[in-house]
Amino acid sequence: MADEHPPGSPGTSDSPDSPSRPGSRHISRKRLIQAALVAAPAAMLLGSAPALARNQSASADRPLTPTPYCDDGDDPTPPQMEGPYFKPNSPRRTSLVEPGTVGTRLTVSGYVFGLACKPVAGVLLDFWQADNRGNYDNVGFRFRGHQFTDSTGAFRLDTIVPGLYPGRTRHIHVKVQAPNRPVLTTQLYFPGEPGNSSDSIFDPRLLMTMSGDGTGRKGAYDFVLNLPQGPTDPPDPGGSWQAGKVYAAGDQVTYGGATYVCLQGHTAVAGWEPPVAAALWRRV
C-alpha cells in the first residue's frame, strides 16, 4: 500500500518535530478560509465542532467549503504522516474492542465522498491507534483493523479513546483507499484536547465531531478523497415531459427530441420517462 504524500511531505516519523508541510500551490478562496482556521484563537479551535460533508450542499453560484466538507475540487481531506507504527495485513474487522479491553468506549463513524460529494462504496479504511496507556502493539494487531465502506459509502469503527503518545495530542491513524486509487494516509483528532495547541502537526480540518453519553463517546468524520466524479444529476434531455404531472391516455409529450403518446393515465415519476416506460408511452 503506497502512501500518497504531497511534495515536501515528511517520511514516517511520528515525532512532533517533523510537521507536515504541503508544497506550495495557488492561493484559493478555500486556502484563505483554512488560513483563518489555523490563525483562530486556540480556545476557539479546541472547542470547535466541525461540520460534516453529508450536511453540505452545492449551488451554481457558491462553491462548497473546504474539507472536512466536500469542496469544489482542489482540497480533499489533507494527508498526514504515517508514523513509525503502521503494520500491513491488519485483520478485517469493524471492532477493535477485545475481551478485557480497558478504556473509554468510542465509536467513530462517517462516510467517504469523492470530489462531487457523492458517496463511494468499497473504500478500504485501515485504522491503527495507541491503547489506553498510549502504547502501540508492534507484535500483534491490538487496536489495528481494516474494513470497507458499504453500498452507501458509510463506515463504523468500535474502539476506545486512545491514550496519549509522548509528544503528541490524542489521535487515530487511518489509511483510506478507493478501489484502484492512491492511498490517503491521515490522522483524526479530538476537539477540546489540551495537546491540540502544542502538537506541531495537529490540523483542525481533521477534527472529529464528538458527542457522548453514559456508555462512551461518539466521533463522526467524513473523508473527501481526491476522486473525480461525474455530475450529481444527469443532464436534462429537454422536452415537455415532467415528473409529478398527471397525464391522461392520448396526451402527447416530447422527450429527448422525440414525441410520445400516453397509453394509460398516471402521475409521472422519475424513472418512468417515456423511453423506458413502454407500458405508459408509445413513440409516434
Side-chain angles (χ1 to χ4, degrees), residues 41-101:
M44 183 182 298
L45 286 180
L46 294 178
S48 64
L52 298 170
R54 72 195 79 153
N55 296 328
Q56 303 302 308
S57 62
S59 66
D61 58 351
R62 185 181 62 184
L64 291 166
T65 46
T67 185
Y69 320 117
C70 288
D71 67 8
D72 58 2
D74 68 350
D75 279 310
T77 300
Q80 289 211 318
M81 63 177 62
E82 177 184 277
Y85 300 130
F86 172 71
K87 289 179 60 177
N89 303 316
S90 68
R92 180 175 177 176
R93 55 185 176 180
T94 58
S95 177
L96 307 184
V97 178
E98 300 176 353
T101 294

Side-chain angles (χ1 to χ4, degrees), residues 52-56 68-71 76-77 110-121 123 149 152-153 176 178 221-227 229:
L52 298 170
R54 72 195 79 153
N55 296 328
Q56 303 302 308
Y69 320 117
C70 288
D71 67 8
T77 300
Y111 293 84
V112 178
F113 295 95
L115 294 177
C117 298
K118 297 167 67 175
V120 186
V123 174
T149 56
T152 68
V176 189
Y221 191 85
D222 295 339
F223 296 95
V224 181
L225 297 181
N226 188 10
L227 175 65
Q229 296 176 308

Side-chain angles (χ1 to χ4, degrees), residues 1-2 4 120-124 148 176-184 225-228:
M1 195 183 282
E4 181 183 48
V120 186
V123 174
L124 169 68
F148 296 87
V176 189
Q177 183 180 27
N180 301 313
R181 298 291 298 179
V183 177
L184 166 70
L225 297 181
N226 188 10
L227 175 65

Side-chain angles (χ1 to χ4, degrees), residues 23-35:
S24 61
R25 296 194 297 176
H26 67 281
I27 301 299
S28 67
R29 180 188 64 83
K30 289 179 295 305
R31 279 295 186 201
L32 294 176
I33 295 175
Q34 292 164 4

Side-chain angles (χ1 to χ4, degrees), residues 261-282:
V261 62
C262 182
L263 300 179
Q264 54 180 308
H266 66 283
T267 300
V269 297
W272 290 1
E273 294 84 357
V276 296
L280 302 175
W281 299 97
R282 185 183 76 246

